[in-house]
Amino acid sequence: MSLKEKIGQLCQLCGDFLGGNSEITGPSGNVNISSEDVRLIGSVLNAMGAEEIKALQDKFMANHPHHIPLLFMMDVINGYETIFPIPLAQSCTFEPSLSEKLSRVASKEASCEGIHVTFAPMADLVQDSRWGRVMESCGEDPYLSGLFSAAMTRGFQAVGLDKKGNIAAFVKHLAGYGMAEGGREYENCEISMRKLLDDCMNGYTSSINEGVALAMTSFNTLDRIPSTANKWLMRDILRDKMGFDGVLISDWQAVEELISHGVAETKADAARLAIEAGVDIDMMSDCYLHELEKLVNDGVVNEKLIDESCMRILKLKNKLGLFENPYKDASKEDEDTYILCDEHRELAREVASKSFVLLKNDDSFFPLKASDMTNTAFIGPYVYTKRLYGAWSWVDDEDKNVITVEKALKEACENVKLARGSSVLNIGTFAKDFVEKTTENELADMYTQAVKLAKECDKVVLFLGEERNHSAEASARAETRLQDVQLELLKRVYDVNTNIAVVVFSGRPVDLREILPYAKAVMMAWMPGTEGGHAIVDVITGKKEVSGRLTMGVTHTPAQMPLTYRHFNTGRPCFKDYDFNFRTGYNDYPNTALYPFGYGLSYTTFEYSSVTLDSAILHDNSCINASVTVTNTGERKGSTVVQMYIRDMVGSVVRPVKELKGFEKITLEPKESKTVTFKITEDMLRFYRIDMSYGSEKGAFTVYIGDDSSTENMTIFTLE
Ligand code: GLC
C-alpha cells in the first residue's frame, strides 16, 4: 500500500460523502473532500439499511486500488430498531445482565442491517444532571457504571467479532467527558489525577477488560490537554497501563478542533498531535487526509505511526471477517425476521418496566386498582407523544413502531378517560428539530378539557416530561425544570382535584420542586423506548411491580450540582441540614440529594436487620462475610436492591464517606425473609494512595448495608 492509501484507512466520513444517507451527529465543519479522497477512506459512520450498505460497499470496493472493504459504524446506544430505555434508565434496573441481553439484541438487529461497529458503551461517569448526556451514562457510581459497560460490551461482541449477529463495541469517551465544568457540554474538565484514576476510569477499564475492540477520544481537555492530543492518556494510560490494543478513533471533527482548543495552529499541527497521541482514525475532519502525507515526507511524522494505525484498522476488518465477506451479516431476510420481533419487544417492555423509579407514593396512590381505571383521568402531552425514545435512537420509525401511553391505556381499559392537557414545549419554542406550533387558543382549550376531565374523576395521573432533545449531546441546561406549559397544567388540575400522581419522562433527573407539592406520587419513567407505553401502564396498574433504584441522585435544585453520594467528609462535616455553625454545605438548601443514589420505593415495604460479620478482622488474603436479613413487611410481593457500601475511615488521602461495593436485587413474597451476604475482600479497598501507588491501607472500615446510599445500618471491621 502507498503512504496515501495507508492514510486513507485512517479516515472516516459519514455516508453522505459516498452518496448514501446518514444521521449527522456533529457540526459540518470545513471538510473539503474530493472524490479521490473518498476513494481511499477506511470507514463510514451512520449509514444504514442492508441494501444501501451493500451497494455502498460494492461501489467503494470496486473503486479502491486494493479493494479493501469499508467498516460501517453507527451509534447503536440503546437498541437499533427495537429501542430500549436509555442507558441511565437501564442502570436503574441494577441488572447489568438485562443490558447484556438487550445489547445482544441491538447487535443482532444492527448487524443484519450491515453495521459492523457500534459507538457504545458510553462509559463516562457523571455527577451533574445539567449535562445533557447523563441520559447516555450509567450514573454517578464508578462500580455500577463499570458493571454496565462491561455487560454492554459482552452483549455486543460476546461470541466473537466474526460470528453472525455480532458487532464490534466501542468504549467512549476517553476520558472524563462527564466531568465537564458546570455540566456545560464540551467544557473543560478540571479534575484531580485521583478523581480520574480512582473514579472516572473504571467504566472504561471494565469495558477494556472485556476486550472491547475500539475506543473513542473525548472532546474535553484533561489537565488542560485535549484528549485527542493527550499522549499520556492515550499511550501511557490507555495502551500501556490498561493494555488496550484496539482501534482508537477521535470523536467527530475532534482532530481539527485542536485548533479551536488552541493547542494547534494549523491542520498539520492538529494531525501531528493526534497521530503522535495514537489516534488511529480521524472522524469527520480532513486533517489526516490532507496533512499526514506531507508531514511524513517532510520527516515530521514517522511513517511507523501510520503503519501501526493502519495495521490496527486492517486487523479489525480481518477479525470481523470482512475480507472474506465484506457485507458480514447484512441480510434482508434476517431484517424481516429479527427487526422488532415479538421477543425483542418483550425484552424492551421488561427492561423498561424495571427501569422506572418510584420517588413518592403517598396514600399508596400507585398501583391503580382495576376499579380505579374508569374513574381516573389520564392527562398530559406524554399520554399521546410518540417521542419516547432517547436522543440516540434515530434508526427506528417511532411514528410506526412505538407503543404510546394512549395505546397501552386503551388496551388495558375500555372507556379510559384521556386528555392532552398541554403541549410539551412552551408556545413559540422548539427543541432542535422538534416543533409543535401550538397556538395560545389551542393551549387554552387543552387546559379547559383537562380541568373538566379532572373535575369529573376521583384520581388524576399526569404524564409530563422534558422533550427528548433536551437531554442529548449539545443539550446541557442550566435549569432542569419542566416547561411552564406543563407546570401550569399541573397547577390548574390541582386546583380542581388534589388526588394526583405524576409520571415524569426525561433523559435526566429533573428539578422536581414545582411538581412534588402538587403530587401524591411521582414516578420517573426516563425515556423508555419502543415498548414504553406498555411498560408504564404495566407498572402503574400493578401488573408489574416497580423496582428501579436511582443511579443518579435527584437534587433539591440544579444549583447543588455537581453532587455525588460519594462525597468527602471535609474538615467541618455537615451533620444536619441548615447548620449555620461553620459547617460544610449550603445554608439555604440541604447538603445532600433530595432523593439519593440507590433510592426508590416499591409497592411493598422492607425491613433490614442489623449488619453482622463472620469476622471483624480482614487480612490481605482472607474475606469477611457481611450479612443482613431482609423481610417483606408489606402485603404484596416485591423486589428491592440490597446495597453494600464501605467507608475507609482513615487513609493517606481523604476517602469518600461511602462507596458502593456490592448489591443484590431480591424478590420476596409478603412476610418472606431472606439473608443476603456480601463477601468483602482486600482488593475492594484499594485506591491511589498518597504516593500514587494503587493498593489498600490497614485500619478501620465501616460497612453499610441498606436500600439506598443514605443508610446508616452499619458495623465496623479492620484490615490488618
Ligand atoms: C458525536 C458523539 C459521539 C458519537 C459520534 C458519532 O459527536 O460525541 O458519542 O459516537 O459523534 O456519531
Side-chain angles (χ1 to χ4, degrees), residues 412-431:
C413 166
E414 284 179 25
N415 323 315
V416 70
K417 299 182 177 68
L418 312 177
R420 186 179 297 275
S422 79
S423 49
V424 171
L425 298 176
N426 294 339
I427 304 278
T429 67
F430 59 92

Side-chain angles (χ1 to χ4, degrees), residues 54-190:
K54 275 181 170 178
L56 288 176
Q57 190 73 292
D58 282 341
K59 187 176 154 209
F60 178 84
M61 287 177 69
N63 280 335
H64 190 280
H66 303 286
H67 314 297
I68 296 175
L70 286 165
L71 279 168
F72 285 91
M73 304 191 186
M74 176 180 277
D75 295 282
V76 183
I77 307 292
N78 42 243
Y80 184 73
E81 295 219 32
T82 304
I83 302 300
F84 294 92
I86 53 174
L88 183 65
Q90 292 176 35
S91 65
C92 293
T93 68
F94 273 76
E95 293 188 46
S97 59
L98 284 177
S99 290
E100 182 168 349
K101 273 168 78 175
L102 70 87
S103 298
R104 274 229 66 60
V105 165
S107 185
K108 210 170 188 179
E109 291 193 355
S111 63
C112 74
E113 287 223 350
I115 301 300
H116 305 142
V117 178
T118 177
F119 298 118
M122 184 271 215
D124 299 314
L125 192 70
V126 295
Q127 59 182 18
D128 192 328
S129 52
R130 292 172 296 182
W131 190 50
R133 299 189 77 165
V134 298
M135 51 75 64
E136 221 178 318
S137 78
C138 289
E140 67 179 80
D141 182 82
Y143 169 68
L144 188 80
S145 176
L147 291 176
F148 273 91
S149 66
M152 292 170 180
T153 304
R154 285 194 301 273
F156 286 124
Q157 52 180 55
V159 293
L161 296 188
D162 59 335
K163 296 293 180 298
K164 187 172 167 62
N166 251 51
I167 55 179
F170 226 116
V171 67
K172 69 184 186 184
H173 308 80
L174 282 103
Y177 182 22
M179 296 294 138
E181 279 184 324
R184 291 186 300 277
E185 185 60 280
Y186 312 128
E187 187 54 89
N188 262 16
C189 292
E190 294 277 306

Side-chain angles (χ1 to χ4, degrees), residues 12 23-27 45-46 74-75 77 119-120 122 133 136 172-173 177 186 216-217 219 250-253 283 392 394 473:
Q12 177 175 105
E23 184 78 7
I24 301 302
T25 56
L45 79 155
N46 296 345
M74 176 180 277
D75 295 282
I77 307 292
F119 298 118
M122 184 271 215
R133 299 189 77 165
E136 221 178 318
K172 69 184 186 184
H173 308 80
Y177 182 22
Y186 312 128
M216 185 185 288
T217 69
F219 290 118
S250 78
D251 205 336
W252 182 293
Q253 200 177 268
M283 179 198 291
W392 291 101
W394 60 73
E473 180 178 351

